[in-house]
């Protein structure tokens, strides 16, 4: 059921909640639908009492109880005509399966409620265990979550932990996700919002996002800030004792503005600092550095129209280095 229209009404009129008439039979039908399709504990919990601004105060009561109360108090209600058709799975269960279950167990409503309570407790226990294991197995680096495969495989039920951590990211191909643990590096599985990638001894989870900053133009010294990167360019007198990875010093007179910050492209090449002018493909450099697919995609290059000046955070180009003939030093720092 879509709630977009209700969301608009709440916003327009300043309401806090939407109250629906879902009842215990609806919750049992949801349980059976998810059960027949295959699901985890969460799918067997039926309909939640509250989901954000949506509240369902009639969930403890069966349809028969609600109808009896309405008739006794002369309360009219409207019946959706689609409820009579067996075209929909929910209606098939409502008309043919639930009546049999109620005939087999006249206290089916109470039994179902007790089962849901037990499942909620089991889910709570599972969530607590998954949280403890998560802290031992997963590390966060920037926008990535890195799952240690070695530590993960210490648990016989590692698939349950993966499902617990990843189901919120819209993955559906669970067999493929589980197989990544033993797959070749570079294999990955996509959801509509995330990717999980096998990289040697880790699984890397990250959000799929499209950046508008596919190329950033640098017109001179100063600060350049976008959602993706933050740069500072200054003319300095010397390089200092230590050069951090996020900083490069180049001969100001060897470049010509504008410069460009962009992602790498197939066929890119440069002359790595320290290799005496020998040219190397960027893809080969990435391979030699044992960079994962994710690392490659998240690496920026500083370039002119035709030449790469710096693989940012990794290696500068030898042709733009500081020499004894340098008169002006350009410092470029990635904030």
């Amino acid at each position: 059921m879509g709630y977009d229209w209700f969301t608009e009404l709440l916003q327009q009129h300043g309401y806090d909640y939407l109250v629906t008439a879902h009842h215990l039979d609806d919750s049992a039908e949801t349980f059976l639908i998810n059960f027949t399709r295959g699901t985890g504990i969460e799918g067997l919990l039926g309909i939640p009492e509250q989901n954000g601004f949506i509240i369902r105060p009639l969930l403890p009561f069966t349809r028969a109880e609600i109808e009896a109360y309405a008739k006794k108090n002369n309360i009219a209600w409207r019946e959706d005509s689609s409820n009579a058709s067996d075209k929909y799975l929910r209606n098939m269960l409502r008309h043919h399966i639930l009546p049999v279950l109620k005939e087999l167990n006249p206290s089916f409503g109470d039994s179902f409620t007790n089962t849901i309570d037990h499942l909620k407790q089991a889910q709570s226990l599972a969530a607590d265990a998954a949280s403890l294991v998560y802290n031992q197995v997963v590390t966060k680096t920037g926008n990535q979550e890195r799952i240690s495969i070695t530590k993960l495989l210490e648990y016989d039920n590692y698939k349950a932990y993966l499902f617990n951590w990843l189901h919120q990211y819209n993955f559906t191909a669970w067999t493929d996700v589980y197989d990544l643990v033993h797959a070749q590096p570079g294999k990955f599985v996509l959801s509509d919002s995330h990717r999980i990638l096998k990289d040697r001894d880790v699984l890397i989870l990250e959000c799929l996002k499209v950046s508008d900053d596919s190329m950033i133009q640098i017109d001179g010294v100063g600060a350049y800030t976008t959602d993706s990167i933050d740069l500072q360019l200054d003319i300095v007198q010397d390089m200092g004792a230590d050069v951090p990875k996020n900083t490069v010093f180049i001969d100001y007179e060897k470049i010509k503005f504008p410069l460009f910050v962009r992602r790498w492209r197939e066929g890119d090449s440069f002359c790595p600092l320290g290799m005496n002018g020998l040219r190397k493909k960027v893809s080969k450099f990435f391979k030699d550095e044992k960079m994962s697919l994710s690392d490659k995609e998240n690496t920026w290059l500083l370039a002119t129209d035709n030449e790469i000046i710096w693989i940012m955070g990794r290696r500068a180009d030898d042709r733009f280095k500081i020499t004894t003939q340098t008169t002006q030093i350009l410092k470029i720092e990635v904030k």
Side-chain angles (χ1 to χ4, degrees):
M1 179 178 181
Y3 289 93
D4 292 346
W5 183 67
F6 292 111
T7 302
E8 292 178 9
L9 286 179
L10 263 67
Q11 292 174 345
Q12 290 175 8
H13 299 285
Y15 300 141
D16 295 320
Y17 296 101
L18 169 68
V19 180
T20 75
H22 289 106
H23 47 72
L24 189 63
D25 292 48
D26 291 320
S27 190
E29 292 161 11
T30 299
F31 172 97
L32 292 171
I33 289 172
N34 291 336
F35 176 75
T36 57
R37 291 174 175 171
T39 185
I41 293 179
E42 186 172 346
L44 298 177
L45 296 180
I47 300 175
E49 293 86 353
Q50 181 170 351
N51 185 9
F53 63 85
I54 304 167
I55 56 177
R56 304 177 176 96
L58 300 182
L59 270 183
F61 308 102
T62 66
R63 177 188 178 93
E65 290 172 329
I66 296 172
E67 287 185 350
Y69 180 88
K71 291 176 181 177
K72 180 179 179 180
N73 293 276
N74 297 316
I75 300 173
W77 72 87
R78 297 182 63 181
E79 185 78 21
D80 191 324
S81 60
S82 66
N83 287 342
S85 171
D86 283 349
K87 175 182 177 182
Y88 306 103
L89 174 60
R90 182 176 292 276
N91 288 356
M92 283 284 293
L93 295 171
R94 177 180 300 158
H95 298 152
H96 304 289
I97 303 301
L98 277 178
V100 174
L101 294 176
K102 292 176 180 178
E103 183 178 348
L104 291 172
N105 179 9
S107 300
F108 174 79
D110 292 337
S111 299
F112 176 73
T113 299
N114 290 335
T115 297
I116 293 298
D117 287 341
H118 294 322
L119 287 172
K120 287 179 179 178
Q121 293 178 43
Q123 184 196 38
S124 179
L125 287 173
D128 289 342
S131 179
L132 291 172
V133 175
Y134 178 92
N135 292 331
Q136 297 172 12
V137 174
V138 184
T139 57
K140 288 191 175 183
T141 305
N143 64 342
Q144 298 178 347
E145 294 182 47
R146 303 173 71 90
I147 303 170
S148 168
I149 294 174
T150 302
K151 294 180 180 178
L152 180 68
L153 290 178
E154 293 177 1
Y155 300 90
D156 293 336
N157 53 344
Y158 70 87
K159 294 180 182 179
Y161 289 117
L162 284 177
F163 180 84
N164 187 284
W165 301 333
L166 300 176
H167 77 276
Q168 62 184 305
Y169 301 118
N170 308 311
F171 288 100
T172 56
W174 289 107
T175 299
D176 294 338
V177 171
Y178 303 146
D179 287 347
L180 282 179
V181 171
H182 302 291
Q184 293 294 319
K187 297 289 185 180
F188 59 88
V189 178
L190 297 175
S191 74
D192 58 6
S193 60
H194 286 74
R195 176 179 64 190
I196 183 163
L197 165 75
K198 170 70 176 293
D199 179 31
R200 292 186 292 277
D201 59 348
V202 297
L203 299 177
I204 300 174
L205 173 71
E206 59 187 348
C207 180
L208 296 174
K209 60 181 181 179
V210 178
S211 172
D212 292 329
D213 302 320
S214 56
M215 181 177 289
I216 304 163
Q217 181 169 317
I218 307 296
D219 296 313
V221 297
Y224 296 85
T225 301
T226 71
D227 290 338
S228 301
I229 199 165
D230 189 357
L231 290 176
Q232 179 67 44
L233 284 75
D234 295 296
I235 302 295
V236 297
Q237 298 300 314
D238 59 69
M239 296 172 53
D242 298 311
V243 180
K245 280 188 174 182
N246 67 328
T247 303
V248 69
F249 294 90
I250 62 177
D251 190 321
Y252 183 76
E253 295 179 349
K254 293 179 181 177
I255 63 168
K256 182 179 180 180
F257 291 102
L259 306 179
F260 300 94
V261 175
R262 62 172 175 81
R263 301 299 191 185
W264 78 283
R265 303 165 183 159
E266 197 66 43
D268 277 339
S269 65
F270 75 127
C271 299
L273 184 65
M275 290 185 61
N276 300 317
L278 293 176
R279 187 171 286 273
K280 189 173 190 175
K281 282 193 172 182
V282 172
S283 58
K284 180 64 166 60
F285 173 79
F286 287 163
K287 183 178 180 180
D288 292 345
E289 293 287 302
K290 295 184 170 62
M291 292 171 61
S292 70
L293 175 62
S294 177
D295 291 335
K296 296 173 188 177
E297 292 175 345
N298 287 296
T299 296
W300 291 94
L301 307 183
L302 177 68
T304 64
D305 277 332
N306 302 311
E307 299 293 349
I308 294 170
I309 299 171
W310 182 30
I311 299 180
M312 299 174 70
R314 293 189 178 270
R315 186 74 68 86
D317 189 293
D318 194 79
R319 293 165 297 176
F320 302 92
K321 67 183 178 183
I322 305 300
T323 68
T324 54
Q325 283 76 43
T326 299
T327 58
Q328 284 188 298
I329 300 174
L330 178 63
K331 175 184 178 182
I332 305 174
E333 182 181 9
V334 182
K335 298 287 190 181

